[in-house]
Amino acid sequence: MSRKLWGASVIPTVTQCQTAPVSAAWTRLFTTWDWSGWVKPQIDYSVAVGCNCIHLIGGADGLHAGTNTQSTINSRYVQLADYCAGLGVAVYPAPAAFNQLTGMTNSEVSDMTLGVLGALASYTNVIGCDIISEADTWDDGGGIQVQAVADRCNAIYTLVKAGTSIPCTFSAATNWTNAGLRSWISKIASGIDYLDFHPYAMNSWASPLLWSDVAYWFATYPTLDILFGEGGAPQSDSVDNQNTFLRGLGALMSAGDVRLRGWHLWAAQDQDTVSSNKWGMHDASWNIRQNIANVMRQFTKGSVAKAN
């Protein structure tokens, strides 16, 4: 897709996110899958402010544990993609996350990913695949951003790409100016089709983001586009600080360079009752936070048709 992506992330309920272990929140979402009462409203409210892409993390741990089947996971993603296609809205799946992979082999991760992508093969509104969300924070027993984890990511990528033409990546949560993160990306550069960063205000990302940092990534990886697969500011920040940070994300992505693909707001809804972990464009009672919605409207012009 050549259009800029202005998206939002669909997330589990507050209860699902607060129940231990937290890593199982998305498995709980996929198990209960309250389409009409929880999932669809997040899509509808996001589309109402012009969002033209919906991001959804999967529940790899539930598949590994036998809580969910591949068929169940596939059906959830298909329902999402089918509904969004009817709205002219893209879909960005992230079938697994860094904290869901305990005990999973490379083949398990790749088979699950290909299961999802195979089920979505007929949907042209799928814009890519984040194989493991925030893989830079994946600790497989020897620490994060180490060569052993990079080797696993590269091996998983090879297995996945043998079965799909959809662009794939491993997203990163660490600040993109961090030397360790830059080293990590160099380790997995052969296993990504584009760069996906997750800028969050609490991770010391510059506010607003700096063009000099964009220049570094474009110069180092001239064939790779940049997407912000997630990004947000918590309610513990002042409204002014939230606005400054979020507008900075949007302003950078709205620039003319076609390699800057877009930004997905984290999130459509709140995932917690603690202000430092409340990120939603809507609170748990579906009350809209107008300052966040207005930032999105600034870049979408208030409708999917204009955003596209």
Side-chain angles (χ1 to χ4, degrees), residues 32-66:
T32 59
W33 198 250
D34 181 3
W35 172 257
S36 60
W38 185 252
V39 178
K40 181 177 176 291
Q42 291 187 69
I43 300 169
D44 290 342
Y45 283 124
S46 299
V47 169
V49 299
C51 289
N52 65 359
C53 192
I54 297 296
H55 167 251
L56 177 63
I57 295 172
D61 49 350
L63 179 62
H64 178 68

Side-chain angles (χ1 to χ4, degrees), residues 8-79:
S9 297
V10 169
I11 64 169
T13 67
V14 170
T15 298
Q16 289 168 341
C17 288
Q18 290 183 328
T19 302
V22 174
S23 59
W26 274 262
T27 283
R28 298 181 190 112
L29 173 68
F30 275 71
T31 301
T32 59
W33 198 250
D34 181 3
W35 172 257
S36 60
W38 185 252
V39 178
K40 181 177 176 291
Q42 291 187 69
I43 300 169
D44 290 342
Y45 283 124
S46 299
V47 169
V49 299
C51 289
N52 65 359
C53 192
I54 297 296
H55 167 251
L56 177 63
I57 295 172
D61 49 350
L63 179 62
H64 178 68
T67 305
N68 283 327
T69 65
Q70 184 76 58
S71 177
T72 296
I73 293 171
N74 292 354
S75 69
R76 309 314 193 202
Y77 272 114
V78 165
Q79 186 173 27

Side-chain angles (χ1 to χ4, degrees), residues 117 128-129 131 157 160-161 164 166-170 191-194:
L117 297 182
C129 177
I131 299 173
Y157 171 87
V160 170
K161 291 298 288 187
T164 185
I166 291 175
C168 294
T169 197
F170 297 93
I192 54 177
D193 299 323
Y194 57 96

